[in-house]
């Protein structure tokens, strides 16, 4: 049985949907079980025997707010993750910890590999990096999945925000000097389930056990927030999701007036993941088109 922690969030809810769809036993918790309280985690695990995987999708993700609330961010992103790993070790479960591209400082010019040293810029990145360390201390054979620029059918995200704004405004200004790769939760959830199933796709490939460790998982390619927004507008107008004429203009991070420093280049190399799962990842444009063309897009509350 898979225990999804943070099952009401954007990734957790999609993961739960796919587990249900594929008839994989799972149980979910969100704020009802406090991950900063080891006793609460252990009690839940004791009350639900048979948990053999824990996927932690819970996190403090408000990047700006984290600068003002570093202790709270650390409690959730670092100590909470470590507590979950300790519980996993106690009950003999495997664990996947979701992490972020923000563990890197973004000064690179080529995609970051899993072997490159972390050097986070702000509180959010530092707490997520510390969370990775604590997880591996408690559970050396854990899986760390770093991802970036997430969007999906549920929860507030860049795609829905842009579509809503483009339908109501004549123009938008979007940052054009931060490079990364958009990632659809539908794709990421599928790969996480493949790891749980020992590398087996749904349906299909034979089992290919995936070695534990750190993996990077995003869409293929790289782009900027500005180009991402332009592609959303192009697809949205073509699909009839955007019916208002809106001009999308580029700007620099400085011009935008961001209050927190973000990685300027946080593209992640996925070579390790592709080799482990023996898969070809879709381009970020392909995944965006599939998402905006799917019933899941319009089902968003």
């Amino acid at each position: 049985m898979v225990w999804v922690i943070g099952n009401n969030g954007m990734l957790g809810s999609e993961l739960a949907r796919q587990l249900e769809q594929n008839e994989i036993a799972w149980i979910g918790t969100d704020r009802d079980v406090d991950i900063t309280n080891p006793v609460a985690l252990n009690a839940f695990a004791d009350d639900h025997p048979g948990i053999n995987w824990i996927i932690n999708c819970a996190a403090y993700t408000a990047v700006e707010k984290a600068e003002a609330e570093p202790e709270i961010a650390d409690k959730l992103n670092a100590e909470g993750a470590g507590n979950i790993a300790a519980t996993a070790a106690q009950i003999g479960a495997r664990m996947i910890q979701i992490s972020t591209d923000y563990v890197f400082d973004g000064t690179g010019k080529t995609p970051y590999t899993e072997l490159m040293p972390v050097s986070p810029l702000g509180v959010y990145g530092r707490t997520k990096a510390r969370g990775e360390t604590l997880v591996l201390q408690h559970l050396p054979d854990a899986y760390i999945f770093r991802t970036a620029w997430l969007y999906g059918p549920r929860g507030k995200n860049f795609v829905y925000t842009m579509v809503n704004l483009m339908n109501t405004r004549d123009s938008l200004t979007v940052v054009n000097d931060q490079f990364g790769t958009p990632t659809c939760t539908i794709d990421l959830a599928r790969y996480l389930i493949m790891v749980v199933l020992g590398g087996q796709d749904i349906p299909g490939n034979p089992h290919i056990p995936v070695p534990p460790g750190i993996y990077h998982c995003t869409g293929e390619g790289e782009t900027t927030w500005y180009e991402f927004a332009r592609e959303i507008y192009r697809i949205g107008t073509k699909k009839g999701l955007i019916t208002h004429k809106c001009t999308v203009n580029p700007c620099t991070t400085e011009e935008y007036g961001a209050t927190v420093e973000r990685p300027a280049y946080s593209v992640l190399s996925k070579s390790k993941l592709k080799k482990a799962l023996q898969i070809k990842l879709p381009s970020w444009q392909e995944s965006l088109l599939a998402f905006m063309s799917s019933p899941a897009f319009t089902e968003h509350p």
Side-chain angles (χ1 to χ4, degrees):
M1 181 165 61
V2 181
W3 178 7
V4 180
I5 296 180
N7 68 303
N8 289 332
M10 184 167 55
L11 175 58
S13 61
E14 176 58 28
L15 185 57
R17 185 190 71 81
Q18 291 192 31
L19 289 167
E20 188 80 25
Q21 182 183 55
N22 292 285
E23 300 181 347
I24 299 170
W26 71 281
I27 192 164
T29 60
D30 206 88
R31 296 186 179 184
D32 49 319
V33 176
D34 183 3
I35 65 173
T36 69
N37 184 347
V39 174
L41 288 167
N42 292 337
F44 183 87
D46 289 341
D47 289 342
H48 299 84
I51 295 170
N52 51 14
W53 278 91
I54 302 176
I55 304 179
N56 179 29
C57 302
Y60 185 113
T61 59
V63 176
E64 289 88 358
K65 197 175 178 182
E67 297 296 320
E69 298 181 341
E71 292 182 1
I72 298 174
D74 191 73
K75 274 273 189 185
L76 291 169
N77 291 343
E79 292 183 26
N83 292 339
I84 294 167
T87 296
Q90 181 173 311
I91 65 174
R94 311 298 298 276
M95 178 180 174
I96 302 176
Q97 165 71 9
I98 306 302
S99 194
T100 174
D101 58 326
Y102 273 61
V103 299
F104 298 111
D105 61 15
T107 59
K109 300 298 181 185
T110 58
Y112 286 93
T113 71
E114 293 84 352
L115 294 175
M116 291 180 175
V118 300
S119 181
L121 295 173
V123 169
Y124 171 63
R126 287 197 296 272
T127 58
K128 291 296 286 184
R130 196 167 94 85
E132 293 183 5
T133 299
L134 292 177
V135 165
L136 293 174
Q137 283 178 358
H138 287 288
L139 200 67
D141 64 347
Y143 296 80
I144 307 290
F145 263 63
R146 293 176 183 150
T147 190
W149 296 26
L150 274 183
Y151 67 90
R154 297 181 185 274
K156 182 179 178 182
N157 61 70
F158 187 76
V159 177
Y160 285 122
T161 297
M162 287 296 103
V163 169
N164 290 336
L165 290 175
M166 289 167 178
N167 271 316
T168 56
R169 294 189 184 180
D170 296 332
S171 66
L172 290 174
T173 302
V174 184
V175 170
N176 196 36
D177 58 358
Q178 292 177 22
F179 293 82
T181 312
T183 310
C184 186
T185 57
I186 297 172
D187 296 333
L188 178 55
R190 176 190 164 201
Y191 305 137
L192 295 176
I193 292 173
M194 287 178 69
V195 172
V196 168
L197 294 180
Q200 184 180 20
D201 202 350
I202 307 172
N205 297 333
H207 287 268
I208 312 162
V210 181
I214 300 174
Y215 291 88
H216 290 170
C217 185
T218 67
E220 286 282 32
E222 62 181 69
T223 189
T224 66
W225 291 107
Y226 165 70
E227 293 295 343
F228 187 16
R230 280 171 53 90
E231 187 67 4
I232 293 168
Y233 185 71
R234 185 189 72 80
I235 295 171
T237 53
K238 186 176 180 179
K239 295 287 181 182
L241 302 169
I242 298 170
T243 57
H244 184 78
K245 183 173 176 57
C246 179
T247 302
V248 183
N249 301 304
C251 72
T252 65
T253 300
E254 185 177 3
E255 289 169 339
Y256 186 77
T259 57
V260 176
E261 190 177 10
R262 288 172 163 79
Y265 184 91
S266 60
V267 179
L268 303 177
S269 169
K270 279 76 64 177
S271 296
K272 181 180 177 181
L273 179 70
K274 290 186 287 187
K275 182 178 179 181
L277 292 179
Q278 297 187 17
I279 56 171
K280 178 182 178 182
L281 298 175
S283 70
W284 70 266
Q285 297 97 326
E286 290 171 331
S287 291
L288 179 63
L289 175 59
F291 171 57
M292 295 183 70
S293 302
S294 71
F297 182 84
T298 54
E299 289 169 3
H300 183 264

